[in-house]
Amino acid sequence: MAVVRLRGNGANGVVRPRPRDRGARGGGGSMAGRVAVLAFCVAGIWSAYIYQGVLQETLSTKRFGPEGRRFEHLAFLNFAQNVLCFVWSFIMIKLWSGGSSSNGRAPLWKYWGVSVTNTIGPTMGIEALKYISYPAQVLAKSSKMIPVMLMGTLLYGVKYTLPEYFCTFLVAGGVSSFALLKTSSKTIKKLANPNAPLGYTLCFLNLAFDGYTNSTQDLIKSRYPKTNPWDIMLGMNLWGTIYNAVIMFAAPLLFSNWPYANGFEALRFCQENPEVAWDIFLFCLCGAVGQNFIFLTISRFGSLTNTTITTTRKFMSIVVSSVISGNPLSLKQWGSVVMVFLGLSIQIYLKWKKKKGRDHKE
């Protein structure tokens, strides 16, 4: 989704809000108060993004109306998310920033370039649901560490530890085995155009574009230190709205055989099937609300806590999809899922251990 991606978050990490001191990470206040806030954050992130996943899967697989038509315009979700998150971030800035000076904050035009990849990447991730199941998409997009370590080793000569390579092996092995195992016929029937190689390719391209988006947003944050997450969310979604509006509404008017998503057709489908419009609205609202809880988690407890919460959320999304949405997984496929999340869990543990060592030295 074209929302602010925080490092350690699921779609898709962006810029982390910097805690002002240790108390901002949860050091102040009673233990009971900290636990209550943490539980509130976990409940918020889990409920927002798990329900968003259910809605995303519903929109990509369900047949609507008396004719049983599919909603083929999945890229429209990205446009709708841009619009709602732009409005949401604007409101949040007005509520929390008040009349504070814009000095030291990145101007809106700084986001026009990085918004291109932030428009293309999430769209590819959504389009992948036409070709692979939702659990497969979640699993593939959980393997972000693989391209990061690969690029780090090949381009920058970064050396990783043996446990880090072991984590990558588990994740890569789990995703690969899941992709090679036979998908149930019930799941395949729900897909618009079953095509596993194309679906996984779109997911990995999504990760590649996200990697560029994340690093560029980090650069913007370092050059303009007073820029906050809502500023980034506003700038990214402003340009994302403009780009998607041109692609989905202006281009179809100029080219009669426009091959990409047609915004007019998507709106017409929503008009004919109001439940689709409602699902799209809830889908976008879940993304915006989920960002609030992510900002709160990182500001109070740090990015590692957020990473832990969002990783477990991904696992629960697969469980919910399998149990509620009717995507049965075989025992071997569950083994692949466990393999991936075991690798991610070890990676989180290594980060916690490294952080604890740094804090002890301080």
Side-chain angles (χ1 to χ4, degrees):
M1 298 304 95
V3 215
V4 177
R5 283 172 169 66
L6 291 106
R7 196 171 298 285
N9 184 18
N12 314 168
V14 148
V15 177
R16 300 186 293 269
R18 293 183 180 177
R20 289 169 290 181
D21 50 39
R22 293 197 177 210
R25 287 185 180 266
S30 66
M31 178 60 70
R34 290 175 57 193
V35 171
V37 173
L38 181 59
F40 180 64
C41 291
V42 172
I45 292 173
W46 276 35
S47 57
Y49 288 110
I50 289 176
Y51 186 50
Q52 187 185 49
V54 172
L55 291 168
Q56 187 178 38
E57 188 171 4
T58 299
L59 289 166
S60 64
T61 59
K62 187 177 177 180
R63 294 180 180 275
F64 298 92
E67 298 177 1
R69 292 189 299 155
R70 292 180 182 273
F71 182 68
E72 298 284 354
H73 318 283
L74 294 182
F76 183 77
L77 295 178
N78 199 28
F79 170 71
Q81 183 87 85
N82 282 142
V83 174
L84 192 142
C85 284
F86 170 73
V87 174
W88 184 277
S89 56
F90 181 81
I91 294 172
M92 291 297 105
I93 288 173
K94 291 299 181 183
L95 285 177
W96 300 111
S97 297
S100 60
S101 172
S102 60
N103 292 336
R105 292 156 65 179
L108 289 176
W109 65 266
K110 280 288 183 180
Y111 300 100
W112 76 267
V114 67
S115 294
V116 174
T117 55
N118 196 51
T119 299
I120 298 173
T123 300
M124 287 182 168
I126 292 174
E127 287 288 325
L129 289 173
K130 292 181 180 179
Y131 312 106
I132 57 176
S133 67
Y134 180 73
Q137 185 225 39
V138 172
L139 212 58
K141 292 177 70 175
S142 298
S143 59
K144 186 178 290 187
M145 68 166 71
I146 298 174
V148 169
M149 290 184 69
L150 187 64
M151 298 298 284
T153 301
L154 297 178
L155 297 182
Y156 304 109
V158 178
K159 292 184 179 180
Y160 298 94
T161 64
L162 190 61
E164 287 174 325
Y165 281 117
F166 179 65
C167 292
T168 305
F169 170 77
L170 286 175
V171 173
V175 173
S176 301
S177 60
F178 190 95
L180 293 173
L181 289 169
K182 185 178 179 181
T183 305
S184 72
S185 57
K186 184 178 179 181
T187 300
I188 292 177
K189 287 180 181 177
K190 293 172 67 176
L191 301 177
N193 301 293
N195 188 331
L198 178 56
Y200 282 106
T201 298
L202 288 172
C203 285
F204 290 126
L205 285 173
N206 181 186
L207 291 180
F209 280 111
D210 276 356
Y212 173 79
T213 300
N214 297 340
S215 60
T216 306
Q217 288 175 330
D218 284 343
L219 183 61
I220 292 173
K221 177 64 176 175
S222 64
R223 289 181 177 176
Y224 300 91
K226 291 188 177 180
T227 299
N228 62 51
W230 296 121
D231 294 326
I232 297 173
M233 194 173 181
L234 181 75
M236 298 293 290
N237 285 286
L238 168 64
W239 288 102
T241 299
I242 294 172
Y243 294 151
N244 276 309
V246 170
I247 292 170
M248 295 186 182
F249 294 96
L253 293 176
L254 298 174
F255 307 98
S256 57
N257 295 320
W258 181 243
Y260 191 63
N262 189 312
F264 296 106
E265 292 181 3
L267 290 175
R268 192 178 305 114
F269 192 97
C270 290
Q271 188 176 13
E272 295 171 356
N273 302 275
E275 62 177 306
V276 174
W278 180 244
D279 283 348
I280 291 175
F281 172 74
L282 291 178
F283 170 85
C284 298
L285 188 62
C286 283
V289 171
Q291 288 296 313
N292 273 12
F293 286 104
I294 287 173
F295 294 162
L296 177 61
T297 302
I298 292 179
S299 64
R300 291 293 186 93
F301 304 100
S303 60
L304 273 179
T305 301
N306 179 66
T307 300
T308 305
I309 296 172
T310 52
T311 299
T312 53
R313 189 276 304 172
K314 290 177 184 177
F315 183 82
M316 289 307 301
S317 290
I318 293 177
V319 174
V320 169
S321 177
S322 177
V323 176
I324 297 179
S325 300
N327 287 316
L329 302 182
S330 66
L331 192 60
K332 290 181 179 179
Q333 285 179 315
W334 275 116
S336 299
V337 172
V338 170
M339 193 173 174
V340 169
F341 285 96
L342 177 62
L344 295 175
S345 299
I346 295 174
Q347 184 195 40
I348 292 171
Y349 169 75
L350 293 173
K351 288 182 178 180
W352 276 109
K353 192 175 179 181
K354 189 181 295 185
K355 177 183 177 296
K356 190 175 180 181
R358 287 198 304 266
D359 291 345
H360 182 70
K361 288 180 180 179
E362 293 175 3

